[in-house]
Amino acid sequence: MKTSIDKTTKPFDSPVQPTWCPGCGNFGIWVSLKNALIQLGLTPEQVVIVYGIGCSGNMTNTVRAYGFHALHGRAVPVAEAIKLVNHNLAVIVVAGDGDAYGEGLNHFINACRVNHDITYLVHDNRSYSLTTGQTSPTSDLGYVSKSTPAGSPDQPLNPLSLALAAGASFISRGFSGEPKHLENLITQAVQHRGFSLVDVLQPCVTFNKINTVKWFSERVYKLAASSEIDQAWTMARATDKLPIGVIYQDSRPAYHERIEVLKDGPLADQPVELRNVADLLERFR
Amino acid sequence: MRQEITWKIGGIAGAGIKVTGDAFARACTRAGWYVFDYSEYPSLIRGGHNSYHVRAGVEPVYSTVREADVLVALNAKAIRNHLFEINPGGAVIFDSQAVKPDEVASHRSDISYMDVPLAKLATQAGGQELMANSVALGASWAVFKGPLEIIQNVLADGFKSKGEVVIKSNQAAAQAGYEYVKARLPKLKLAELKPQLGTGRILLPGNEALALGALANGLNFFAGYPMTPSTSIFHFMAQHGLGRGVIFKQTEDEISAVNMAIGAAYAGARSMTATSGGGFSLMVEALGLAGITETPLVIVNSQRPGPATGLPTWTEQADLRFLLHAAQGEFPRIVLAPGDVEECFRYGAEALNYAEQYQTPVLILLDKYLSESQMAVEPFNQKLITVDRGKLLTRADAEKENEFRRYQETPDGISKRSRPGLANTLFIANSDEHNDYGYSEESAENRRLMMDKRFRKLQTAEQNLSRPVLHGPDKADVTLVGWGSTLGPMLDALKRLTELNISANILRPVILEPFPSDFIKTILRQAKTTVLVENNSQGQLGGLIREKTGFEIGYQLLKYDGRPFFPDEIAAGVKSFVS
């Protein structure tokens, strides 16, 4: 189903429409993301979105930019490498809470501590939706689903405090029901020097009957500013009320800024040629 | 008598066995002899039992042998383990202060027991007890009547980073050992090899050779996780890639390493990762990702005995079937098995080309024996390698594109490849089945088209990749069939078989996928007696040959005890089959 695209005012609109359920929070996040990219003055050629597997991963096809639809839980390492090889690109990871905090948890933690310059846009609906409704790492305690018919016995994972503990340099939370706020958050995240987490609270209208738009709206409130680390811990751990905005931000070099060879420009733009290894051969005499 | 000498040193881990063994091997190389060395060590850092064997000759030597003319025993265990490997007329060098006389009980009357006060000579020469190894080096060299200057040279280069004082102390220790033995040399039955200086050969293991090949051929991204016996590739890239334009990353696990290698290639780098069987197991899902997104990927698997943790520091070649079939679904791959140090260099370089030409996973099989044994070779001819990036578009190429389709149907199955940042050539690398743009697509027709397109690349590869090698005469009584590191033992076995009046040749595929069925079938049909030689228990290559050609190899020599074949074992086995 191809429609002609207006490449001038809607450069990131692809001819392919999403397949999400009507009312899905993904629609709002999708629009916020595209608007943020326009706000940032980026062209589709400069953007790479690495998608995980899940409903949010089905955003693949619907954004006009370079894309990589990765394996479940493994978008982060792909994105990290893309950024290392061409640091002039804006590299954004789009994944769900299952992909990011379940299958891909090890990579998430390491991305936080290593400070790779990528933006992690996590679609957090506290459910495994594409696989038809299992519990996720962020599901509430007692959450009833196909895999936890007696209610989940697990303490939910808190991605914000985990990110803080892992040393992330930009930690934020958004809400699909506050699209303009989210758009600004994404803009800041992409501009941030280093790893930026945007955990986006959203409903799953089909499978999650607990954490609905109404449920979130009763709890979220906008932060005026980010906090120093001690206060940020408290903000991150809050569960009765859910602050949205930048929870914590600090400034340190992004991982790629320390790589000597990149001082001359992106690796991808440097010539690939034969290297004379005669000096190394000498070591083996 | 064969014009070769063999030497072995044994002791505990942490006693400098590797450094001393390498020094002896290097001295032999600088003496102009052909050298093959081999070390054994258990999976620990201190204690246990380590040994290092060096074989040197005036004619090429391709493998290790069980026996040694001279054993340097740094402790009693070394004597217990290796006394009966010493050739008649040979010697054991030991320090009776470290190894008590009753542990050196004269079980053998056909060798010389040389009590050399290694520790005392070391301290007398002004050094520490640790320099006893340099004393042993000098002592050994005197037994083989090598010129002392060569040892002194090797020590000077080996200890360069430790400074003049250390160099001088070790040289003094070596000289002390040399003179001590020279003054008391017993009558031994040893080959006397004449030194031939200035041959210019280098001595290095397969891993380093492969890493050099990749580095020479434009590799610029390496992500990896350490795992024996692949780790020295990883170290080499970290240390020598620095300052040569290589981005190197030690990742949190192997899954990250392989996905980074794929992301890097997608973004335009020339990338590689290396691991062993357990790490490769973790990388399996990503093989399919590279396959369906048609992203270049090179993975080196240096095999060790499995399954699971297995024998981390020993050798086996039992991952062939695994590498040929790993990952769900069907997609083209190229599987290579270099047979010696020179092929490691060549295929370390070529693999990067294949990956980019065919836009598909290229898997290289090594094993501990090939990865870590050193062989003396001519310095690699860098002129033989070229950078080929296949159909990768340059920035200028992309400017000219119109209606670019990353997965365009083509006669050879290979489409033009773009990368992020270039104009006019947006696309999606999609792990879902996809259409020619890269949009997810589930229709039956598109699926058939894409599968056929991808497999057409394999047919293209088959026409372009090199043939198996037939070593030895075209016509022979016996045809040995093997792959990878069994090449060395098989080559040395040919000579031994000739002495037994059995003519033999070796059929050895290097490229296992796409499998060279026609060539293999032709050779085997003409062969008289065929013998499969493999370091695994299931005869994996034999099974593959039967599957692809219908040909059942007559006999099998299978060794799966963690040790490499010795040429004598192959010769004896063949002899029992034909007589």
Side-chain angles (χ1 to χ4, degrees), chain B residues 209-432:
Chain B
L210 186 145
L212 274 166
L215 208 58
N217 208 18
L219 170 99
N220 58 12
F221 188 97
F222 187 95
Y225 190 91
M227 186 170 184
T228 308
S230 71
T231 311
S232 47
I233 296 174
F234 168 89
H235 286 158
F236 196 90
M237 294 300 184
Q239 292 155 21
H240 302 295
L242 198 65
R244 284 187 175 82
V246 177
I247 291 181
F248 173 91
K249 184 79 182 79
Q250 175 180 328
T251 53
E252 60 273 25
D253 57 30
E254 287 89 340
I255 300 177
S256 178
V258 68
N259 280 281
M260 283 194 87
I262 291 171
Y266 164 81
R270 227 150 120 91
S271 66
M272 176 187 271
T273 185
T275 185
S276 189
F280 190 87
S281 296
L282 297 173
M283 296 181 178
V284 167
E285 194 190 17
L287 290 181
L289 177 67
I292 202 170
T293 59
E294 304 197 46
T295 306
L297 173 64
V298 178
I299 306 179
V300 180
N301 176 13
S302 177
Q303 302 162 95
R304 71 200 217 182
T309 311
L311 293 168
T313 58
W314 299 85
T315 198
E316 191 164 89
Q317 49 174 194
D319 293 348
L320 176 59
R321 277 295 190 187
F322 181 31
L323 260 71
L324 289 170
H325 301 300
Q328 73 274 32
E330 303 169 311
F331 55 93
R333 70 191 74 196
I334 295 172
V335 180
L336 313 170
D340 62 18
V341 163
E342 266 159 333
E343 285 189 353
C344 284
F345 179 81
R346 178 180 159 197
Y347 287 103
E350 282 291 333
L352 295 169
N353 290 346
Y354 297 159
E356 295 205 295
Q357 286 163 330
Y358 302 103
Q359 301 173 15
T360 211
V362 177
L363 312 177
I364 307 177
L365 281 161
L366 304 182
D367 58 36
K368 184 262 175 180
Y369 188 47
L370 178 53
S371 284
E372 299 194 347
S373 303
Q374 303 194 102
M375 188 163 162
V377 292
E378 302 301 322
F380 306 120
N381 185 353
Q382 293 176 72
K383 296 200 178 73
L384 295 176
I385 59 177
T386 51
V387 173
D388 189 329
R389 305 206 73 185
K391 298 189 189 180
L392 178 65
L393 298 178
T394 63
R395 194 174 284 282
D397 293 333
E399 303 277 342
K400 300 187 209 117
E401 286 290 326
N402 193 23
E403 297 286 321
F404 175 76
R405 292 286 180 267
R406 169 68 183 92
Y407 302 102
Q408 177 83 52
E409 266 259 44
T410 57
D412 62 4
I414 307 168
S415 316
K416 284 186 274 194
R417 180 165 78 98
S418 174
R419 60 171 176 91
L422 301 189
N424 298 330
T425 54
L426 296 176
F427 73 97
I428 299 170
N430 201 340
S431 58
D432 279 328

Side-chain angles (χ1 to χ4, degrees), chain A residues 138-160:
Chain A
T138 49
S139 299
D140 297 345
L141 184 66
Y143 183 70
V144 174
S145 78
K146 288 182 184 172
S147 63
T148 55
S152 170
D154 299 343
Q155 199 68 28
L157 184 147
N158 182 332
L160 303 185

Side-chain angles (χ1 to χ4, degrees), chain A residues 2 5 11 14-16 44-53 57-86 89 103 106-108 110-111 113-114 116 255 259-262 266-285, chain B residues 26 29-30 157 200-205 208 212 214-221 236 240 244-249 252-253 255-257 259-270 285-286 289 293 295 345 374 379-380 382 385-387 389 395 405 418-432 435 437-440:
Chain A
K2 290 185 201 259
I5 330 155
S14 116
V16 180
E45 285 73 22
Q46 299 170 298
V47 174
V48 182
I49 304 178
V50 185
Y51 307 90
I53 303 295
N58 284 350
M59 192 194 286
T60 306
N61 311 315
T62 68
V63 177
R64 185 173 165 271
Y66 278 100
F68 193 111
H69 196 185
L71 297 168
H72 186 59
R74 316 296 172 191
V76 164
V78 173
E80 290 172 346
I82 293 170
K83 184 71 188 189
L84 284 178
V85 170
N86 193 339
L89 302 168
E103 188 81 50
N106 191 16
H107 308 307
F108 168 60
N110 279 281
R113 80 177 175 98
V114 176
H116 286 280
Y255 180 73
I259 300 179
E260 199 56 40
V261 62
L262 301 182
L267 190 78
D269 293 335
Q270 294 178 31
V272 167
E273 294 162 336
L274 287 174
R275 283 191 194 87
N276 188 339
V277 293
D279 60 322
L280 290 174
L281 292 175
E282 275 307 302
R283 299 167 142 258
F284 293 107
R285 282 204 197 279
Chain B
R26 217 154 283 285
T29 305
R30 291 187 191 185
D157 289 340
R201 286 189 204 107
I202 57 175
L203 179 76
L204 78 173
E208 278 79 347
L212 274 166
L215 208 58
N217 208 18
L219 170 99
N220 58 12
F221 188 97
F236 196 90
H240 302 295
R244 284 187 175 82
V246 177
I247 291 181
F248 173 91
K249 184 79 182 79
E252 60 273 25
D253 57 30
I255 300 177
S256 178
N259 280 281
M260 283 194 87
I262 291 171
Y266 164 81
R270 227 150 120 91
E285 194 190 17
L289 177 67
T293 59
T295 306
F345 179 81
Q374 303 194 102
F380 306 120
Q382 293 176 72
I385 59 177
T386 51
V387 173
R389 305 206 73 185
R395 194 174 284 282
R405 292 286 180 267
S418 174
R419 60 171 176 91
L422 301 189
N424 298 330
T425 54
L426 296 176
F427 73 97
I428 299 170
N430 201 340
S431 58
D432 279 328
N435 68 7
Y437 177 89
Y439 291 128
S440 311

